[in-house]
Amino acid sequence: MNTDISQIVITIGSFKLCLQQSILVWLVVCLLVGFVAWLAGRKIEKADPSKAPKGLVYWSEELYNLCLYVIQGNLKETTAHYLPIFGTLMVCMLVSNLTGLVGFQNPTSNISFNATLALMFFLMIQTHGITKAGLKARMKELTEPMWLLTPLNIIGELALPISLTMRLFGNILAGTIISLLIYTLIKSIAPWGYLGLTLTPFIHMYFDVFSGVIQTYIFFTLGTYFLGQQVAQQED
């Protein structure tokens, strides 16, 4: 097995398997979140409803309310149906966005990872749109308000996964690069660099914590908005 800073290459005879560090981090995060969710479920079952929640039960309720806040306005009456998958993905993304604090590559800095999530939204939107009204009605939507705008409507549909992918990738990767440049600058001006290390908590507070939370919110808000156009009842 050969390793470097960005990937792990497992060699078995003539077969080589290349695993990006970001993908391994995501798998570990999913396993940890799954275990914590299972443990929280056990504790919630045993919790006394007459007492105020605390510990893991309290934080589980806060995360539940946070996920509801992000998607409920878009998915409306279908929120309960989609909450398990989007809630899980949001928590996993929030946790993974904090992995930069411990020196690991953030999964959302991998464009392939972001494209996979964006493609999931795109396929869900198109599938539900066809299921809801039929293929003929869905195709007709692309010709509204006039058939001359059909190419623009198609481009608009295809732009969604590209926009979601590049927005998340660009913002997260930019934060990583800026942090690296600042660290390089601090190292190059040693011994004053030791004084500069006092600034690093603030750097990570913005690029790893604040920016990670904001980008997760934007990604799922936009994705569920377009999904809600197909699955939720629209107000007149």
Side-chain angles (χ1 to χ4, degrees), residues 126-180:
Q126 302 306 319
T127 300
H128 284 292
I130 295 173
T131 303
K132 180 180 179 180
L135 179 59
K136 184 177 180 180
R138 180 59 178 156
M139 297 297 292
K140 185 179 179 181
E141 288 182 9
L142 298 177
T143 65
E144 296 176 348
M146 61 179 64
W147 67 270
L148 289 175
L149 296 179
T150 300
L152 292 179
N153 291 334
I154 294 175
I155 293 174
E157 293 290 333
L158 296 177
L160 174 63
I162 298 175
S163 174
L164 289 176
T165 299
M166 300 310 296
R167 178 184 288 106
L168 183 60
F169 170 71
N171 283 282
I172 297 299
L173 183 61
T176 302
I177 293 175
I178 292 173
S179 298
L180 179 60

Coordinates of all heavy atoms in Angstrom, one line a residue, residues 126-180:
Q126 N -36.1 15.6 -11.5 CA -36.6 15.1 -12.8 C -37.5 13.9 -12.6 O -38.6 13.8 -13.2 CB -35.5 14.8 -13.8 CG -34.5 15.9 -14.0 CD -35.2 17.2 -14.5 OE1 -36.2 17.1 -15.3 NE2 -34.8 18.3 -14.0
T127 N -37.1 13.0 -11.8 CA -37.9 11.8 -11.5 C -39.3 12.1 -10.9 O -40.3 11.6 -11.4 CB -37.2 10.8 -10.6 OG1 -36.0 10.4 -11.2 CG2 -38.0 9.5 -10.4
H128 N -39.3 13.0 -9.9 CA -40.5 13.4 -9.3 C -41.4 14.2 -10.2 O -42.6 14.1 -10.1 CB -40.3 14.1 -8.0 CG -39.8 13.2 -6.8 ND1 -40.7 12.3 -6.2 CD2 -38.6 13.1 -6.2 CE1 -40.0 11.7 -5.3 NE2 -38.8 12.1 -5.2
G129 N -40.8 15.0 -11.0 CA -41.5 15.8 -12.0 C -42.3 14.9 -13.0 O -43.4 15.2 -13.3
I130 N -41.6 13.9 -13.4 CA -42.3 13.0 -14.4 C -43.3 12.1 -13.7 O -44.4 11.9 -14.2 CB -41.2 12.1 -15.0 CG1 -40.3 12.9 -15.9 CG2 -41.9 11.0 -15.8 CD1 -39.1 12.1 -16.4
T131 N -43.0 11.7 -12.4 CA -44.0 10.9 -11.7 C -45.2 11.6 -11.3 O -46.3 11.1 -11.4 CB -43.3 10.3 -10.4 OG1 -42.1 9.6 -10.7 CG2 -44.3 9.4 -9.6
K132 N -45.1 12.9 -11.0 CA -46.2 13.7 -10.6 C -47.2 14.0 -11.7 O -48.4 13.9 -11.5 CB -45.7 15.0 -10.0 CG -46.7 16.0 -9.5 CD -46.1 17.3 -9.0 CE -47.2 18.2 -8.5 NZ -46.6 19.5 -7.9
A133 N -46.7 14.4 -12.9 CA -47.6 14.8 -14.0 C -47.4 14.0 -15.2 O -48.2 14.2 -16.2 CB -47.3 16.3 -14.3
G134 N -46.5 13.1 -15.3 CA -46.3 12.3 -16.5 C -45.2 12.9 -17.4 O -44.9 14.1 -17.3
L135 N -44.6 12.1 -18.2 CA -43.5 12.5 -19.1 C -44.0 13.6 -20.1 O -43.2 14.6 -20.3 CB -43.0 11.3 -19.9 CG -41.8 11.6 -20.9 CD1 -40.6 12.2 -20.1 CD2 -41.4 10.3 -21.6
K136 N -45.2 13.5 -20.6 CA -45.7 14.4 -21.6 C -45.8 15.8 -21.0 O -45.4 16.8 -21.6 CB -47.0 14.0 -22.2 CG -47.5 14.8 -23.3 CD -48.8 14.3 -23.8 CE -49.4 15.2 -24.9 NZ -50.6 14.6 -25.5
A137 N -46.4 15.9 -19.7 CA -46.6 17.1 -19.1 C -45.2 17.7 -18.7 O -45.0 19.0 -18.7 CB -47.4 16.9 -17.8
R138 N -44.3 16.9 -18.3 CA -42.9 17.4 -17.9 C -42.2 18.0 -19.1 O -41.6 19.1 -19.0 CB -42.1 16.3 -17.3 CG -40.7 16.7 -16.9 CD -40.7 17.7 -15.9 NE -39.4 18.1 -15.4 CZ -39.0 19.2 -14.9 NH1 -40.0 20.2 -14.7 NH2 -37.8 19.5 -14.5
M139 N -42.4 17.4 -20.3 CA -41.8 17.9 -21.5 C -42.4 19.2 -21.9 O -41.8 20.1 -22.4 CB -41.9 16.9 -22.6 CG -41.1 15.6 -22.4 SD -39.3 15.8 -22.2 CE -39.0 16.3 -23.9
K140 N -43.7 19.3 -21.6 CA -44.5 20.5 -22.0 C -44.0 21.7 -21.1 O -44.0 22.8 -21.6 CB -46.0 20.3 -21.8 CG -46.8 21.4 -22.2 CD -48.3 21.2 -22.1 CE -49.2 22.4 -22.5 NZ -50.6 22.1 -22.3
E141 N -43.6 21.4 -19.9 CA -43.1 22.5 -19.0 C -41.9 23.2 -19.6 O -41.7 24.4 -19.4 CB -42.8 21.9 -17.6 CG -44.0 21.5 -16.8 CD -43.6 21.0 -15.4 OE1 -42.4 21.1 -15.1 OE2 -44.4 20.5 -14.7
L142 N -41.1 22.4 -20.3 CA -39.9 22.9 -20.9 C -40.2 23.9 -22.1 O -39.3 24.6 -22.6 CB -39.0 21.8 -21.4 CG -38.5 20.8 -20.3 CD1 -37.6 19.7 -20.9 CD2 -37.7 21.6 -19.2
T143 N -41.4 23.9 -22.6 CA -41.8 24.7 -23.7 C -42.5 26.0 -23.3 O -42.9 26.8 -24.1 CB -42.6 23.9 -24.7 OG1 -43.9 23.6 -24.1 CG2 -41.9 22.7 -25.2
E144 N -42.7 26.1 -22.0 CA -43.5 27.3 -21.5 C -42.5 28.4 -21.2 O -41.4 28.2 -20.8 CB -44.2 26.9 -20.2 CG -45.3 25.8 -20.5 CD -46.0 25.3 -19.3 OE1 -45.5 25.7 -18.1 OE2 -47.0 24.6 -19.4
P145 N -43.0 29.7 -21.3 CA -44.3 30.1 -21.8 C -44.5 30.1 -23.3 O -45.6 30.3 -23.8 CB -44.4 31.6 -21.3 CG -43.0 32.0 -21.3 CD -42.1 30.8 -20.9
M146 N -43.4 29.9 -24.1 CA -43.5 29.7 -25.5 C -42.4 28.8 -26.0 O -41.3 28.7 -25.3 CB -43.3 31.1 -26.2 CG -42.0 31.8 -26.0 SD -41.9 33.4 -26.8 CE -43.2 34.3 -26.0
W147 N -42.6 28.1 -27.1 CA -41.7 27.0 -27.5 C -40.3 27.5 -27.9 O -39.4 26.8 -27.8 CB -42.3 26.2 -28.7 CG -42.5 27.0 -29.9 CD1 -43.5 27.8 -30.3 CD2 -41.5 27.1 -31.0 NE1 -43.3 28.4 -31.5 CE2 -42.1 28.0 -32.0 CE3 -40.2 26.6 -31.2 CZ2 -41.4 28.3 -33.1 CZ3 -39.6 26.9 -32.3 CH2 -40.1 27.8 -33.3
L148 N -40.3 28.8 -28.3 CA -39.0 29.4 -28.6 C -38.0 29.4 -27.4 O -36.8 29.5 -27.6 CB -39.2 30.8 -29.1 CG -39.8 31.0 -30.5 CD1 -40.1 32.4 -30.8 CD2 -39.0 30.3 -31.6
L149 N -38.5 29.3 -26.2 CA -37.7 29.4 -25.0 C -37.3 28.0 -24.5 O -36.6 27.9 -23.5 CB -38.5 30.1 -23.9 CG -38.8 31.6 -24.1 CD1 -39.6 32.1 -22.9 CD2 -37.5 32.4 -24.4
T150 N -37.6 26.9 -25.3 CA -37.3 25.6 -24.9 C -35.8 25.4 -24.7 O -35.4 24.8 -23.6 CB -37.8 24.6 -25.9 OG1 -39.3 24.7 -26.1 CG2 -37.5 23.1 -25.5
P151 N -34.9 25.8 -25.6 CA -33.5 25.6 -25.3 C -33.0 26.3 -24.0 O -32.2 25.7 -23.3 CB -32.8 26.3 -26.6 CG -33.9 26.2 -27.6 CD -35.2 26.4 -26.9
L152 N -33.6 27.5 -23.7 CA -33.2 28.2 -22.5 C -33.7 27.4 -21.3 O -33.0 27.4 -20.2 CB -33.7 29.6 -22.5 CG -33.1 30.6 -23.5 CD1 -33.8 31.9 -23.4 CD2 -31.6 30.7 -23.3
N153 N -34.9 26.9 -21.4 CA -35.4 26.1 -20.3 C -34.6 24.8 -20.0 O -34.4 24.5 -18.8 CB -36.9 25.7 -20.5 CG -37.8 26.9 -20.5 OD1 -37.5 27.9 -19.8 ND2 -38.9 26.8 -21.2
I154 N -34.2 24.2 -21.1 CA -33.3 23.0 -20.9 C -32.0 23.4 -20.3 O -31.5 22.7 -19.4 CB -33.1 22.3 -22.3 CG1 -34.4 21.8 -22.8 CG2 -32.1 21.2 -22.2 CD1 -34.3 21.2 -24.2
I155 N -31.4 24.5 -20.7 CA -30.1 24.9 -20.1 C -30.3 25.2 -18.7 O -29.5 24.9 -17.8 CB -29.6 26.2 -20.9 CG1 -29.2 25.8 -22.3 CG2 -28.4 26.8 -20.2 CD1 -28.8 26.9 -23.2
G156 N -31.5 25.8 -18.3 CA -31.8 26.2 -16.9 C -31.8 24.9 -16.1 O -31.4 24.9 -14.9
E157 N -32.4 23.8 -16.6 CA -32.5 22.6 -15.9 C -31.1 22.0 -15.6 O -30.8 21.5 -14.6 CB -33.4 21.6 -16.6 CG -34.9 22.0 -16.7 CD -35.6 21.9 -15.3 OE1 -35.2 21.1 -14.5 OE2 -36.6 22.6 -15.1
L158 N -30.3 22.0 -16.7 CA -29.0 21.4 -16.6 C -28.0 22.3 -15.8 O -27.0 21.8 -15.3 CB -28.4 21.2 -18.0 CG -29.1 20.2 -18.9 CD1 -28.5 20.2 -20.3 CD2 -29.2 18.8 -18.3
A159 N -28.3 23.6 -15.6 CA -27.5 24.5 -14.9 C -27.5 24.2 -13.4 O -26.6 24.5 -12.7 CB -27.9 25.9 -15.2
L160 N -28.6 23.6 -12.9 CA -28.8 23.4 -11.5 C -27.7 22.5 -10.9 O -27.0 23.0 -9.9 CB -30.1 22.8 -11.1 CG -30.3 22.4 -9.7 CD1 -30.2 23.7 -8.8 CD2 -31.7 21.7 -9.5
P161 N -27.4 21.3 -11.4 CA -26.4 20.5 -10.8 C -25.0 21.1 -11.0 O -24.1 21.0 -10.1 CB -26.5 19.1 -11.5 CG -27.2 19.5 -12.8 CD -28.1 20.6 -12.5
I162 N -24.8 21.8 -12.1 CA -23.5 22.5 -12.3 C -23.3 23.6 -11.3 O -22.2 23.8 -10.7 CB -23.4 23.0 -13.8 CG1 -23.4 21.8 -14.7 CG2 -22.1 23.8 -13.9 CD1 -23.5 22.3 -16.2
S163 N -24.3 24.4 -11.1 CA -24.3 25.5 -10.2 C -24.0 25.0 -8.7 O -23.2 25.6 -8.0 CB -25.6 26.3 -10.2 OG -25.6 27.3 -9.2
L164 N -24.8 24.0 -8.3 CA -24.6 23.5 -7.0 C -23.2 22.9 -6.8 O -22.6 23.1 -5.7 CB -25.6 22.3 -6.7 CG -27.1 22.8 -6.5 CD1 -28.0 21.5 -6.4 CD2 -27.3 23.7 -5.3
T165 N -22.7 22.2 -7.8 CA -21.4 21.6 -7.7 C -20.3 22.7 -7.6 O -19.4 22.7 -6.6 CB -21.1 20.7 -8.9 OG1 -22.0 19.7 -9.0 CG2 -19.7 20.1 -8.8
M166 N -20.3 23.6 -8.5 CA -19.2 24.6 -8.5 C -19.3 25.6 -7.4 O -18.2 26.1 -6.9 CB -19.2 25.3 -9.9 CG -19.1 24.4 -11.1 SD -17.7 23.3 -11.0 CE -16.3 24.5 -11.0
R167 N -20.5 26.0 -6.9 CA -20.6 26.9 -5.8 C -20.0 26.3 -4.5 O -19.2 26.9 -3.9 CB -22.0 27.3 -5.6 CG -22.2 28.2 -4.4 CD -23.7 28.5 -4.1 NE -24.3 29.4 -5.1 CZ -25.1 29.0 -6.1 NH1 -25.5 27.7 -6.1 NH2 -25.6 29.8 -6.9
L168 N -20.3 25.1 -4.2 CA -19.8 24.4 -3.0 C -18.3 24.1 -3.2 O -17.5 24.4 -2.3 CB -20.6 23.1 -2.8 CG -20.2 22.3 -1.5 CD1 -20.5 23.1 -0.3 CD2 -21.0 21.0 -1.5
F169 N -17.9 23.6 -4.3 CA -16.5 23.3 -4.5 C -15.6 24.6 -4.5 O -14.6 24.6 -3.8 CB -16.3 22.6 -5.9 CG -14.9 22.5 -6.4 CD1 -14.1 21.6 -5.7 CD2 -14.4 23.2 -7.4 CE1 -12.8 21.4 -6.2 CE2 -13.1 23.1 -7.8 CZ -12.3 22.2 -7.2
G170 N -16.1 25.6 -5.2 CA -15.3 26.8 -5.2 C -15.1 27.5 -3.9 O -14.0 27.9 -3.5
N171 N -16.2 27.6 -3.1 CA -16.1 28.2 -1.8 C -15.2 27.4 -0.8 O -14.4 28.0 0.0 CB -17.5 28.5 -1.2 CG -18.2 29.6 -1.9 OD1 -17.9 30.8 -1.6 ND2 -19.1 29.3 -2.8
I172 N -15.4 26.1 -0.7 CA -14.7 25.3 0.2 C -13.2 25.2 -0.2 O -12.3 25.4 0.7 CB -15.3 23.9 0.3 CG1 -16.7 24.0 0.8 CG2 -14.4 23.0 1.2 CD1 -16.8 24.5 2.2
L173 N -12.9 25.0 -1.5 CA -11.5 25.0 -1.9 C -10.8 26.3 -1.7 O -9.6 26.3 -1.4 CB -11.5 24.5 -3.4 CG -10.1 24.3 -4.0 CD1 -9.4 23.2 -3.2 CD2 -10.2 24.0 -5.5
A174 N -11.5 27.4 -2.0 CA -10.9 28.7 -1.8 C -10.5 28.9 -0.4 O -9.4 29.5 -0.1 CB -11.9 29.8 -2.3
G175 N -11.3 28.5 0.6 CA -11.0 28.6 2.0 C -9.8 27.8 2.3 O -8.9 28.2 3.1
T176 N -9.7 26.6 1.8 CA -8.5 25.7 2.0 C -7.2 26.4 1.5 O -6.2 26.4 2.1 CB -8.7 24.4 1.4 OG1 -9.9 23.8 1.9 CG2 -7.5 23.4 1.6
I177 N -7.3 26.9 0.3 CA -6.1 27.5 -0.4 C -5.7 28.8 0.4 O -4.5 29.0 0.7 CB -6.4 27.9 -1.8 CG1 -6.6 26.6 -2.6 CG2 -5.3 28.7 -2.4 CD1 -7.0 26.8 -4.1
I178 N -6.7 29.6 0.8 CA -6.3 30.8 1.5 C -5.7 30.5 2.9 O -4.7 31.1 3.3 CB -7.6 31.7 1.8 CG1 -8.0 32.2 0.4 CG2 -7.3 32.8 2.7 CD1 -9.3 33.0 0.5
S179 N -6.2 29.5 3.6 CA -5.6 29.0 4.8 C -4.2 28.5 4.6 O -3.3 28.8 5.4 CB -6.4 27.9 5.5 OG -7.7 28.4 5.8
L180 N -3.9 27.8 3.5 CA -2.6 27.3 3.3 C -1.6 28.4 3.0 O -0.5 28.4 3.4 CB -2.7 26.3 2.1 CG -1.3 25.7 1.6 CD1 -0.7 24.9 2.7 CD2 -1.5 24.9 0.4

